[in-house]
Amino acid sequence: MRTWKKIICLALGVLMLLGGMFGCGQAPASGGESSEASSGSKAAETSAETNEADAENKPVLKYLGQSATFDLSDNPMIPLIEEKTGYQVEYEALPAGDEGETKLMMLIASSSKYDIMNLPPSLFDRAYAAGFTQELDGYLEQTTSVLEAVPEDSASWERVTIDGKIWGIPQLKPSGETLNAIVYRKDILDGLGLKEPTTPDELREVLQAVKEAYPDMIPFTTNNVCAAPPIESGFDSYHDWFEVDGKLVAPQNRPETKAYIQYMAGLYQDGLMDPEFPANDDATRLQKFTSGNAFMTYFGYYEGPGFYSALETAVPEAEIGYIPYLKDENGNAGALTDGCGLEKVAFIPRSAEHPEDAMKWIDAFASNFQELYLGIEGESYTLTDGKYEPIMPEFSVHDTVWWFMPLVQEDSVFDMWQARIRKNEETERGYMDTFALHTADLNVETAHFLMDSPDEEYTKLSAKLRQYWDDEKVKLITGAVSFDTYDSIVQKWEDDGGAKLTEMANQMMKE
Amino acid sequence: MNQNVQAKNRIRLSRGDRVFHGVNIGIMVVLALIMFLPFLHVVSKSFSADTYVISGQVGLLPKGFNLEAYRFSFTDTPIVTAFKNTVFVTVIGTVLGVMATAAAAYPLSLVSLKGRKIFIYYFIFTMLFNGGLVPGFILMNKLNLLNNLWSLILPHIISVYHLILMKTYFEGIPDAVRESAMIDGANHIVIFSRIILPMAKPIIATIALFSAVSFWNSYYNAMLYLSDPDLQTLQLFLVNIVKQANATDSINTEMVVPTDTVRAATVVIGTVPILIVYPFLQRYFVAGITLGSVKG
């Protein structure tokens, strides 16, 4: 009985102690609790659980990034960045997908104290709309390298400047203007004695011939939103906002779009398209091609790794070709890229505890950009004739720098980025092949930056309508919905917000 | 003579019965296969070479058998940390949870407790109404439990459903047992620890099992409250890694998208522990659900 009492009292005492530690502890102390609680966690210096400032009295910054596909706690970039910027940083990542947005909203609602947030433009918009961001003009004036990396006249600033004030640091997509392709089995085309198609009608003939010669093969397969930019080029329907008589017109309101959808529906009805395409995800689509079951499929260069070798294993006699961007009835071909699009926006939340240091960190990153992005010439990369080539395995230290970087050096990053392509033979092949589609007569248009906008209402409406339109497009193509209803679909698009969107776009264009 | 008796004592199934059993077994085999084969497919993908997986040639057996995906999962992904975190949450959560639930259920099972009805209604109220997502988050923030594994444990230590199960079970223990102990001079704590708990082993095992599985699977709270990558739990890690599959809308080669093979391997790693444990404990699941319902 006595021993039981002792045990119970001891247990109660321990419980109260724990409770006291939580109740009175500040966030850093409870962080300490957690790091011993999460047994065996590799305590990298960045998971610093105390406010210990280092010798120069620099505070520890808190950084929130998008979802990280790698192990954040043990990353070689972290000590490297600390060395170059002089700041210790605690890095955290949002969960992937929609939950990342939910989590961000939670963090905003509880005014979490992050010094830097480095997120995709859509999440930046949400943060801005919630009043969570702050103006950076004052801090920018104290920087030296940020404006060298992202010049003042760069178009990237437009996206983050609202009401004349700058709210975030734009990070341009380092991959620049990339094109996606439609890849096909050249060996089959040659075997049938056909030429590569250059117009939609020629494409149809080719697909027809393939279907007759190989009835079990799927002539053309694509993903569930029926992506096929080279074909869209053949109908001049690849634009987003298109200027007609000084006003912006949405693709939904253009007859060219209808013509393109009708063409695709025609392909589907004649059995020239994969009947299962609405259910295809990217992996399935590629599988159908690499296993030899499909003649032609949509292809993005980043899908290179594994793609070519998979095809070689499954169909050793296969040869690959890429159809050019098709010419429309006027003989023009064009493509839409979002070369102007931003990859991420880095911003300093209103509740940040160390905003000036946050900006200094960004500044230090900018001035050390080349070393952080590529490393040291001769050690992790070589530069010959303007071509950057990686030296493996040293270069792999910089594999994950994309997650950490708040900006890029706009004038040189595109060339530097090529080094990453060259890491993997198959990616390089995919990239080089699709890059070759940039023929001289191809009209490459950059997506109007208005496709995404800091205006929350615009972005939400745009996303909702895009979803609606993609769904209807697929239904029209598969014949689930007849073309007689096309006009009413467009009308619904307008009533549900399309007209408003057009109005907003035209307004923003004037500004 | 003996043989005759034995022959008669065998239950003879009529033809109808045999057909019935046959069809039953057939349907269940088909159902079992429907559930088992996709999992087998994932397991064999995880042991196959990349090229076969991408071209879709892997069926029910691995092709190009290698352990590369597992090596990658264990070294290049935070799965080990995630595992440790989940084990910590599950073990501590279950132990504390069972202790707390039993300690709460016992007084509630005694009719002589003053205000018993009020307490019971108070507990049930929480089953019906919830503060919501944002207030919960703000509460965790103010309690400094954000980025802390305890935020996964403390709010879920007592599940009212389990509490009621236990309470009903305790009520089923005859009063005579308690009264005779009281006559012998035992106080409540002694009765609880020395008499009631040992008698309640079945229900404790059941609640422990339910709690353990619930803690093992906890995802949403982990997603909300934990940002530190060192603290992620297994479920959080698995969901993130599977989601990366569809992250191709941003044309960014730099994103190291784990291949299908690695994804399959991480799914297997996450599922295998529960798979191993379950067959030994499944009778408790079945027994446990009915355990609290039958009185006396």
Side-chain angles (χ1 to χ4, degrees), chain A residues 4 25 30 38-39 47 69 73 92 96 99 103 106 110 282 287 290 314 343 402 420, chain B residues 54-55 57 84-85 137 141 144 147 194 219 223-224 226-227 230 240 243-244 248 254:
Chain A
W4 265 116
S30 71
S38 66
S39 46
S47 316
T69 55
S73 50
E92 292 177 11
E99 284 155 4
K103 180 86 185 272
M106 292 293 126
S110 54
D282 291 323
Q287 251 178 44
T290 53
E343 183 71 38
W402 59 270
R420 315 192 108 71
Chain B
I54 294 185
S55 56
Q57 286 182 39
K84 287 183 190 159
N85 289 331
F137 191 87
N141 194 11
N144 287 322
N147 258 338
R194 296 242 179 120
Y219 165 71
M223 187 272 295
L224 269 186
L226 303 178
S227 315
D230 279 335
N240 272 343
K243 272 198 189 160
Q244 304 308 343
T248 46
E254 329 218 50

mmCIF file of all heavy atoms in Angstrom, chain A residues 4 25 30 38-39 47 69 73 92 96 99 103 106 110 282 287 290 314 343 402 420, chain B residues 54-55 57 84-85 137 141 144 147 194 219 223-224 226-227 230 240 243-244 248 254:
data_model
loop_
_atom_site.group_PDB
_atom_site.id
_atom_site.type_symbol
_atom_site.label_atom_id
_atom_site.label_comp_id
_atom_site.label_asym_id
_atom_site.label_seq_id
_atom_site.Cartn_x
_atom_site.Cartn_y
_atom_site.Cartn_z
ATOM 1 N N TRP A 4 2.557 1.666 -3.328
ATOM 2 C CA TRP A 4 1.631 2.164 -4.340
ATOM 3 C C TRP A 4 1.464 3.661 -4.203
ATOM 4 O O TRP A 4 1.541 4.412 -5.162
ATOM 5 C CB TRP A 4 0.243 1.500 -4.171
ATOM 6 C CG TRP A 4 0.081 0.309 -5.057
ATOM 7 C CD1 TRP A 4 -0.094 -0.974 -4.679
ATOM 8 C CD2 TRP A 4 0.089 0.310 -6.490
ATOM 9 N NE1 TRP A 4 -0.194 -1.783 -5.778
ATOM 10 C CE2 TRP A 4 -0.085 -1.025 -6.897
ATOM 11 C CE3 TRP A 4 0.221 1.296 -7.476
ATOM 12 C CZ2 TRP A 4 -0.143 -1.387 -8.229
ATOM 13 C CZ3 TRP A 4 0.187 0.927 -8.795
ATOM 14 C CH2 TRP A 4 -0.005 -0.421 -9.160
ATOM 15 N N GLY A 25 6.931 27.418 -20.230
ATOM 16 C CA GLY A 25 8.019 27.446 -21.198
ATOM 17 C C GLY A 25 7.697 28.355 -22.363
ATOM 18 O O GLY A 25 6.564 28.520 -22.748
ATOM 19 N N SER A 30 10.033 24.759 -25.410
ATOM 20 C CA SER A 30 9.242 23.585 -25.799
ATOM 21 C C SER A 30 9.847 22.950 -27.022
ATOM 22 O O SER A 30 9.709 21.773 -27.261
ATOM 23 C CB SER A 30 7.789 23.991 -26.063
ATOM 24 O OG SER A 30 7.702 24.740 -27.250
ATOM 25 N N SER A 38 11.576 13.770 -29.712
ATOM 26 C CA SER A 38 11.686 13.064 -30.988
ATOM 27 C C SER A 38 13.032 12.382 -30.993
ATOM 28 O O SER A 38 14.005 12.871 -31.516
ATOM 29 C CB SER A 38 11.540 14.031 -32.161
ATOM 30 O OG SER A 38 12.606 14.931 -32.204
ATOM 31 N N SER A 39 13.054 11.245 -30.396
ATOM 32 C CA SER A 39 14.319 10.585 -30.105
ATOM 33 C C SER A 39 15.156 10.370 -31.342
ATOM 34 O O SER A 39 14.674 9.933 -32.370
ATOM 35 C CB SER A 39 14.030 9.233 -29.463
ATOM 36 O OG SER A 39 13.018 8.588 -30.192
ATOM 37 N N SER A 47 18.206 23.335 -36.537
ATOM 38 C CA SER A 47 17.026 23.099 -35.685
ATOM 39 C C SER A 47 17.331 23.658 -34.317
ATOM 40 O O SER A 47 17.064 23.046 -33.306
ATOM 41 C CB SER A 47 16.710 21.615 -35.579
ATOM 42 O OG SER A 47 16.801 21.003 -36.813
ATOM 43 N N THR A 69 10.693 18.030 -51.146
ATOM 44 C CA THR A 69 10.654 16.617 -51.496
ATOM 45 C C THR A 69 11.879 15.880 -50.991
ATOM 46 O O THR A 69 12.107 14.754 -51.327
ATOM 47 C CB THR A 69 10.600 16.460 -53.019
ATOM 48 O OG1 THR A 69 11.708 17.177 -53.571
ATOM 49 C CG2 THR A 69 9.329 17.042 -53.569
ATOM 50 N N SER A 73 16.283 17.989 -42.807
ATOM 51 C CA SER A 73 17.062 18.116 -41.581
ATOM 52 C C SER A 73 18.542 17.853 -41.815
ATOM 53 O O SER A 73 19.367 18.217 -41.019
ATOM 54 C CB SER A 73 16.524 17.159 -40.526
ATOM 55 O OG SER A 73 16.412 15.871 -41.084
ATOM 56 N N GLU A 92 11.562 25.396 -42.387
ATOM 57 C CA GLU A 92 10.380 24.556 -42.273
ATOM 58 C C GLU A 92 9.665 24.536 -43.612
ATOM 59 O O GLU A 92 9.786 25.464 -44.401
ATOM 60 C CB GLU A 92 9.442 25.093 -41.192
ATOM 61 C CG GLU A 92 10.035 24.965 -39.806
ATOM 62 C CD GLU A 92 9.145 25.571 -38.753
ATOM 63 O OE1 GLU A 92 7.985 25.899 -39.075
ATOM 64 O OE2 GLU A 92 9.602 25.699 -37.612
ATOM 65 N N ALA A 96 2.478 19.203 -48.828
ATOM 66 C CA ALA A 96 2.228 19.300 -50.263
ATOM 67 C C ALA A 96 0.748 19.473 -50.542
ATOM 68 O O ALA A 96 -0.095 19.109 -49.743
ATOM 69 C CB ALA A 96 2.734 18.035 -50.944
ATOM 70 N N GLU A 99 -3.309 21.003 -48.775
ATOM 71 C CA GLU A 99 -3.130 21.136 -47.333
ATOM 72 C C GLU A 99 -2.076 22.171 -47.004
ATOM 73 O O GLU A 99 -2.078 22.749 -45.913
ATOM 74 C CB GLU A 99 -2.758 19.794 -46.729
ATOM 75 C CG GLU A 99 -3.979 18.912 -46.644
ATOM 76 C CD GLU A 99 -3.631 17.467 -46.640
ATOM 77 O OE1 GLU A 99 -2.428 17.185 -46.627
ATOM 78 O OE2 GLU A 99 -4.556 16.649 -46.667
ATOM 79 N N LYS A 103 -2.603 24.888 -44.181
ATOM 80 C CA LYS A 103 -1.619 25.119 -43.133
ATOM 81 C C LYS A 103 -1.190 26.571 -43.118
ATOM 82 O O LYS A 103 -1.057 27.181 -42.059
ATOM 83 C CB LYS A 103 -0.425 24.198 -43.403
ATOM 84 C CG LYS A 103 0.695 24.287 -42.417
ATOM 85 C CD LYS A 103 0.431 23.384 -41.251
ATOM 86 C CE LYS A 103 1.490 23.563 -40.187
ATOM 87 N NZ LYS A 103 2.633 22.691 -40.414
ATOM 88 N N MET A 106 -3.682 28.686 -41.446
ATOM 89 C CA MET A 106 -3.602 28.516 -39.991
ATOM 90 C C MET A 106 -2.490 29.365 -39.414
ATOM 91 O O MET A 106 -2.638 30.033 -38.395
ATOM 92 C CB MET A 106 -3.300 27.063 -39.647
ATOM 93 C CG MET A 106 -4.388 26.089 -39.944
ATOM 94 S SD MET A 106 -5.775 26.375 -38.904
ATOM 95 C CE MET A 106 -6.983 26.511 -40.140
ATOM 96 N N SER A 110 -2.807 32.569 -36.782
ATOM 97 C CA SER A 110 -2.218 32.638 -35.445
ATOM 98 C C SER A 110 -1.000 33.529 -35.414
ATOM 99 O O SER A 110 -0.218 33.491 -34.475
ATOM 100 C CB SER A 110 -1.855 31.234 -34.970
ATOM 101 O OG SER A 110 -1.035 30.626 -35.921
ATOM 102 N N ASP A 282 -0.159 11.267 -65.386
ATOM 103 C CA ASP A 282 1.053 11.363 -66.198
ATOM 104 C C ASP A 282 1.761 10.023 -66.310
ATOM 105 O O ASP A 282 2.275 9.665 -67.365
ATOM 106 C CB ASP A 282 1.991 12.413 -65.610
ATOM 107 C CG ASP A 282 1.417 13.805 -65.780
ATOM 108 O OD1 ASP A 282 0.808 14.055 -66.828
ATOM 109 O OD2 ASP A 282 1.551 14.629 -64.862
ATOM 110 N N GLN A 287 3.412 5.412 -69.594
ATOM 111 C CA GLN A 287 3.508 3.957 -69.647
ATOM 112 C C GLN A 287 2.970 3.416 -70.949
ATOM 113 O O GLN A 287 3.512 2.486 -71.529
ATOM 114 C CB GLN A 287 2.674 3.367 -68.513
ATOM 115 C CG GLN A 287 3.481 2.763 -67.413
ATOM 116 C CD GLN A 287 2.582 2.253 -66.328
ATOM 117 O OE1 GLN A 287 1.562 1.620 -66.600
ATOM 118 N NE2 GLN A 287 2.947 2.517 -65.106
ATOM 119 N N THR A 290 5.704 4.067 -73.512
ATOM 120 C CA THR A 290 6.961 3.342 -73.362
ATOM 121 C C THR A 290 6.774 1.830 -73.444
ATOM 122 O O THR A 290 7.721 1.098 -73.690
ATOM 123 C CB THR A 290 7.653 3.666 -72.024
ATOM 124 O OG1 THR A 290 6.720 3.440 -70.969
ATOM 125 C CG2 THR A 290 8.121 5.096 -71.998
ATOM 126 N N ALA A 314 11.509 -1.914 -73.477
ATOM 127 C CA ALA A 314 10.270 -2.558 -73.908
ATOM 128 C C ALA A 314 10.215 -2.768 -75.410
ATOM 129 O O ALA A 314 9.741 -3.791 -75.895
ATOM 130 C CB ALA A 314 9.083 -1.705 -73.459
ATOM 131 N N GLU A 343 8.473 31.619 -60.387
ATOM 132 C CA GLU A 343 8.492 30.333 -59.718
ATOM 133 C C GLU A 343 7.991 30.505 -58.289
ATOM 134 O O GLU A 343 7.149 29.772 -57.817
ATOM 135 C CB GLU A 343 9.940 29.826 -59.697
ATOM 136 C CG GLU A 343 10.099 28.467 -59.096
ATOM 137 C CD GLU A 343 9.539 27.379 -59.983
ATOM 138 O OE1 GLU A 343 9.686 27.483 -61.206
ATOM 139 O OE2 GLU A 343 8.938 26.442 -59.454
ATOM 140 N N TRP A 402 17.161 24.998 -55.154
ATOM 141 C CA TRP A 402 15.939 25.620 -55.653
ATOM 142 C C TRP A 402 14.950 25.884 -54.525
ATOM 143 O O TRP A 402 14.143 26.805 -54.594
ATOM 144 C CB TRP A 402 15.276 24.754 -56.722
ATOM 145 C CG TRP A 402 14.910 23.380 -56.243
ATOM 146 C CD1 TRP A 402 15.675 22.276 -56.296
ATOM 147 C CD2 TRP A 402 13.681 22.987 -55.621
ATOM 148 N NE1 TRP A 402 15.024 21.205 -55.748
ATOM 149 C CE2 TRP A 402 13.795 21.604 -55.336
ATOM 150 C CE3 TRP A 402 12.509 23.640 -55.287
ATOM 151 C CZ2 TRP A 402 12.769 20.886 -54.726
ATOM 152 C CZ3 TRP A 402 11.481 22.919 -54.680
ATOM 153 C CH2 TRP A 402 11.624 21.555 -54.406
ATOM 154 N N ARG A 420 22.016 21.886 -64.605
ATOM 155 C CA ARG A 420 21.183 20.893 -63.935
ATOM 156 C C ARG A 420 20.615 19.899 -64.938
ATOM 157 O O ARG A 420 20.494 18.718 -64.655
ATOM 158 C CB ARG A 420 20.043 21.575 -63.205
ATOM 159 C CG ARG A 420 20.479 22.773 -62.424
ATOM 160 C CD ARG A 420 19.424 23.237 -61.500
ATOM 161 N NE ARG A 420 19.776 22.941 -60.130
ATOM 162 C CZ ARG A 420 20.735 23.551 -59.464
ATOM 163 N NH1 ARG A 420 21.434 24.485 -60.033
ATOM 164 N NH2 ARG A 420 20.998 23.215 -58.234
ATOM 165 N N ILE B 54 8.382 2.043 -64.890
ATOM 166 C CA ILE B 54 7.895 3.163 -65.693
ATOM 167 C C ILE B 54 7.180 2.656 -66.935
ATOM 168 O O ILE B 54 6.210 3.251 -67.382
ATOM 169 C CB ILE B 54 9.060 4.093 -66.087
ATOM 170 C CG1 ILE B 54 9.626 4.740 -64.834
ATOM 171 C CG2 ILE B 54 8.584 5.156 -67.041
ATOM 172 C CD1 ILE B 54 10.674 5.751 -65.108
ATOM 173 N N SER B 55 7.662 1.563 -67.514
ATOM 174 C CA SER B 55 6.975 1.097 -68.721
ATOM 175 C C SER B 55 5.820 0.179 -68.386
ATOM 176 O O SER B 55 5.223 -0.408 -69.258
ATOM 177 C CB SER B 55 7.961 0.409 -69.654
ATOM 178 O OG SER B 55 8.610 -0.638 -68.972
ATOM 179 N N GLN B 57 5.582 -2.693 -66.865
ATOM 180 C CA GLN B 57 5.696 -4.119 -67.122
ATOM 181 C C GLN B 57 5.649 -4.951 -65.857
ATOM 182 O O GLN B 57 5.742 -6.157 -65.921
ATOM 183 C CB GLN B 57 7.008 -4.413 -67.831
ATOM 184 C CG GLN B 57 6.972 -3.988 -69.275
ATOM 185 C CD GLN B 57 8.264 -4.333 -69.959
ATOM 186 O OE1 GLN B 57 8.816 -5.395 -69.700
ATOM 187 N NE2 GLN B 57 8.772 -3.432 -70.761
ATOM 188 N N LYS B 84 10.533 6.943 -36.069
ATOM 189 C CA LYS B 84 10.788 7.110 -34.636
ATOM 190 C C LYS B 84 9.743 8.013 -34.008
ATOM 191 O O LYS B 84 9.267 7.763 -32.899
ATOM 192 C CB LYS B 84 12.175 7.704 -34.422
ATOM 193 C CG LYS B 84 13.294 6.725 -34.698
ATOM 194 C CD LYS B 84 14.639 7.351 -34.391
ATOM 195 C CE LYS B 84 15.751 6.457 -34.907
ATOM 196 N NZ LYS B 84 17.002 7.189 -35.081
ATOM 197 N N ASN B 85 9.412 9.087 -34.731
ATOM 198 C CA ASN B 85 8.420 10.010 -34.180
ATOM 199 C C ASN B 85 7.075 9.332 -34.006
ATOM 200 O O ASN B 85 6.417 9.482 -32.977
ATOM 201 C CB ASN B 85 8.262 11.230 -35.097
ATOM 202 C CG ASN B 85 9.472 12.121 -35.054
ATOM 203 O OD1 ASN B 85 10.157 12.180 -34.049
ATOM 204 N ND2 ASN B 85 9.731 12.811 -36.139
ATOM 205 N N PHE B 137 -6.050 25.517 -33.534
ATOM 206 C CA PHE B 137 -4.691 25.888 -33.875
ATOM 207 C C PHE B 137 -4.190 26.994 -32.970
ATOM 208 O O PHE B 137 -3.066 26.953 -32.461
ATOM 209 C CB PHE B 137 -4.645 26.337 -35.340
ATOM 210 C CG PHE B 137 -3.265 26.480 -35.865
ATOM 211 C CD1 PHE B 137 -2.606 25.400 -36.395
ATOM 212 C CD2 PHE B 137 -2.607 27.703 -35.818
ATOM 213 C CE1 PHE B 137 -1.326 25.519 -36.892
ATOM 214 C CE2 PHE B 137 -1.319 27.833 -36.305
ATOM 215 C CZ PHE B 137 -0.677 26.733 -36.850
ATOM 216 N N ASN B 141 -1.114 27.026 -30.295
ATOM 217 C CA ASN B 141 -0.105 28.064 -30.353
ATOM 218 C C ASN B 141 0.119 28.668 -28.977
ATOM 219 O O ASN B 141 1.245 28.814 -28.510
ATOM 220 C CB ASN B 141 -0.558 29.136 -31.353
ATOM 221 C CG ASN B 141 0.566 30.071 -31.728
ATOM 222 O OD1 ASN B 141 1.720 29.829 -31.409
ATOM 223 N ND2 ASN B 141 0.225 31.159 -32.393
ATOM 224 N N ASN B 144 1.996 26.745 -26.591
ATOM 225 C CA ASN B 144 3.357 26.439 -27.014
ATOM 226 C C ASN B 144 3.526 24.980 -27.396
ATOM 227 O O ASN B 144 4.578 24.392 -27.196
ATOM 228 C CB ASN B 144 4.373 26.798 -25.925
ATOM 229 C CG ASN B 144 4.541 28.283 -25.815
ATOM 230 O OD1 ASN B 144 4.526 28.980 -26.811
ATOM 231 N ND2 ASN B 144 4.680 28.774 -24.602
ATOM 232 N N ASN B 147 4.686 22.556 -33.207
ATOM 233 C CA ASN B 147 6.005 21.998 -33.459
ATOM 234 C C ASN B 147 6.486 21.156 -32.290
ATOM 235 O O ASN B 147 7.640 21.219 -31.878
ATOM 236 C CB ASN B 147 7.021 23.114 -33.704
ATOM 237 C CG ASN B 147 7.293 23.247 -35.167
ATOM 238 O OD1 ASN B 147 7.083 22.320 -35.925
ATOM 239 N ND2 ASN B 147 7.744 24.410 -35.555
ATOM 240 N N ARG B 194 -5.837 -2.680 -7.453
ATOM 241 C CA ARG B 194 -5.585 -4.091 -7.162
ATOM 242 C C ARG B 194 -6.691 -5.021 -7.588
ATOM 243 O O ARG B 194 -6.479 -6.201 -7.762
ATOM 244 C CB ARG B 194 -5.376 -4.283 -5.657
ATOM 245 C CG ARG B 194 -4.162 -3.590 -5.120
ATOM 246 C CD ARG B 194 -3.200 -4.610 -4.557
ATOM 247 N NE ARG B 194 -2.007 -3.939 -4.060
ATOM 248 C CZ ARG B 194 -1.604 -4.002 -2.801
ATOM 249 N NH1 ARG B 194 -2.310 -4.697 -1.914
ATOM 250 N NH2 ARG B 194 -0.516 -3.380 -2.451
ATOM 251 N N TYR B 219 -2.860 11.769 -38.945
ATOM 252 C CA TYR B 219 -2.245 12.546 -40.007
ATOM 253 C C TYR B 219 -2.609 14.024 -39.925
ATOM 254 O O TYR B 219 -1.756 14.895 -39.993
ATOM 255 C CB TYR B 219 -2.652 11.964 -41.370
ATOM 256 C CG TYR B 219 -2.369 12.908 -42.491
ATOM 257 C CD1 TYR B 219 -1.069 13.157 -42.882
ATOM 258 C CD2 TYR B 219 -3.387 13.599 -43.117
ATOM 259 C CE1 TYR B 219 -0.792 14.063 -43.879
ATOM 260 C CE2 TYR B 219 -3.108 14.498 -44.122
ATOM 261 C CZ TYR B 219 -1.810 14.724 -44.503
ATOM 262 O OH TYR B 219 -1.546 15.622 -45.480
ATOM 263 N N MET B 223 -0.165 17.224 -39.679
ATOM 264 C CA MET B 223 -0.010 18.150 -40.785
ATOM 265 C C MET B 223 -0.199 19.581 -40.310
ATOM 266 O O MET B 223 0.539 20.491 -40.689
ATOM 267 C CB MET B 223 -1.044 17.778 -41.862
ATOM 268 C CG MET B 223 -0.913 18.531 -43.149
ATOM 269 S SD MET B 223 -1.803 20.079 -43.216
ATOM 270 C CE MET B 223 -3.479 19.537 -43.118
ATOM 271 N N LEU B 224 -1.169 19.784 -39.421
ATOM 272 C CA LEU B 224 -1.458 21.136 -38.973
ATOM 273 C C LEU B 224 -0.427 21.674 -37.995
ATOM 274 O O LEU B 224 0.009 22.806 -38.093
ATOM 275 C CB LEU B 224 -2.821 21.152 -38.263
ATOM 276 C CG LEU B 224 -4.044 21.426 -39.094
ATOM 277 C CD1 LEU B 224 -5.234 21.543 -38.169
ATOM 278 C CD2 LEU B 224 -3.884 22.721 -39.861
ATOM 279 N N LEU B 226 2.641 20.409 -36.914
ATOM 280 C CA LEU B 226 4.084 20.203 -36.997
ATOM 281 C C LEU B 226 4.639 20.817 -38.258
ATOM 282 O O LEU B 226 4.161 20.534 -39.352
ATOM 283 C CB LEU B 226 4.409 18.700 -36.996
ATOM 284 C CG LEU B 226 3.910 17.895 -35.811
ATOM 285 C CD1 LEU B 226 4.269 16.437 -36.012
ATOM 286 C CD2 LEU B 226 4.530 18.396 -34.528
ATOM 287 N N SER B 227 5.647 21.693 -38.108
ATOM 288 C CA SER B 227 6.308 22.222 -39.297
ATOM 289 C C SER B 227 7.760 21.790 -39.358
ATOM 290 O O SER B 227 8.345 21.725 -40.413
ATOM 291 C CB SER B 227 6.291 23.745 -39.305
ATOM 292 O OG SER B 227 5.036 24.221 -38.965
ATOM 293 N N ASP B 230 12.099 17.659 -38.606
ATOM 294 C CA ASP B 230 12.573 16.578 -37.738
ATOM 295 C C ASP B 230 11.445 15.908 -36.992
ATOM 296 O O ASP B 230 11.627 14.875 -36.385
ATOM 297 C CB ASP B 230 13.559 17.116 -36.698
ATOM 298 C CG ASP B 230 14.940 17.274 -37.272
ATOM 299 O OD1 ASP B 230 15.254 16.582 -38.241
ATOM 300 O OD2 ASP B 230 15.692 18.100 -36.745
ATOM 301 N N ASN B 240 3.089 13.082 -48.116
ATOM 302 C CA ASN B 240 3.878 14.030 -48.896
ATOM 303 C C ASN B 240 4.557 13.365 -50.063
ATOM 304 O O ASN B 240 4.570 13.878 -51.176
ATOM 305 C CB ASN B 240 4.933 14.689 -48.001
ATOM 306 C CG ASN B 240 4.375 15.923 -47.331
ATOM 307 O OD1 ASN B 240 3.365 16.455 -47.757
ATOM 308 N ND2 ASN B 240 5.019 16.372 -46.284
ATOM 309 N N LYS B 243 2.175 12.431 -52.794
ATOM 310 C CA LYS B 243 1.666 13.602 -53.500
ATOM 311 C C LYS B 243 2.651 14.146 -54.501
ATOM 312 O O LYS B 243 2.272 14.791 -55.463
ATOM 313 C CB LYS B 243 1.336 14.699 -52.490
ATOM 314 C CG LYS B 243 -0.043 14.608 -51.949
ATOM 315 C CD LYS B 243 -0.435 15.909 -51.327
ATOM 316 C CE LYS B 243 -1.747 15.760 -50.593
ATOM 317 N NZ LYS B 243 -1.946 16.782 -49.624
ATOM 318 N N GLN B 244 3.933 13.928 -54.260
ATOM 319 C CA GLN B 244 4.924 14.481 -55.181
ATOM 320 C C GLN B 244 4.709 13.941 -56.570
ATOM 321 O O GLN B 244 5.134 14.526 -57.546
ATOM 322 C CB GLN B 244 6.352 14.129 -54.732
ATOM 323 C CG GLN B 244 6.706 14.549 -53.338
ATOM 324 C CD GLN B 244 6.429 15.989 -53.052
ATOM 325 O OE1 GLN B 244 6.255 16.788 -53.950
ATOM 326 N NE2 GLN B 244 6.354 16.325 -51.790
ATOM 327 N N THR B 248 3.716 17.670 -61.153
ATOM 328 C CA THR B 248 4.381 18.030 -62.397
ATOM 329 C C THR B 248 3.743 19.248 -63.060
ATOM 330 O O THR B 248 3.966 19.527 -64.217
ATOM 331 C CB THR B 248 4.342 16.864 -63.395
ATOM 332 O OG1 THR B 248 3.015 16.344 -63.415
ATOM 333 C CG2 THR B 248 5.306 15.785 -63.002
ATOM 334 N N GLU B 254 14.299 20.668 -61.153
ATOM 335 C CA GLU B 254 15.100 20.594 -59.959
ATOM 336 C C GLU B 254 14.397 19.817 -58.866
ATOM 337 O O GLU B 254 14.997 19.293 -57.975
ATOM 338 C CB GLU B 254 15.408 22.006 -59.482
ATOM 339 C CG GLU B 254 15.487 22.961 -60.656
ATOM 340 C CD GLU B 254 16.554 23.972 -60.501
ATOM 341 O OE1 GLU B 254 17.665 23.566 -60.203
ATOM 342 O OE2 GLU B 254 16.267 25.156 -60.667
#
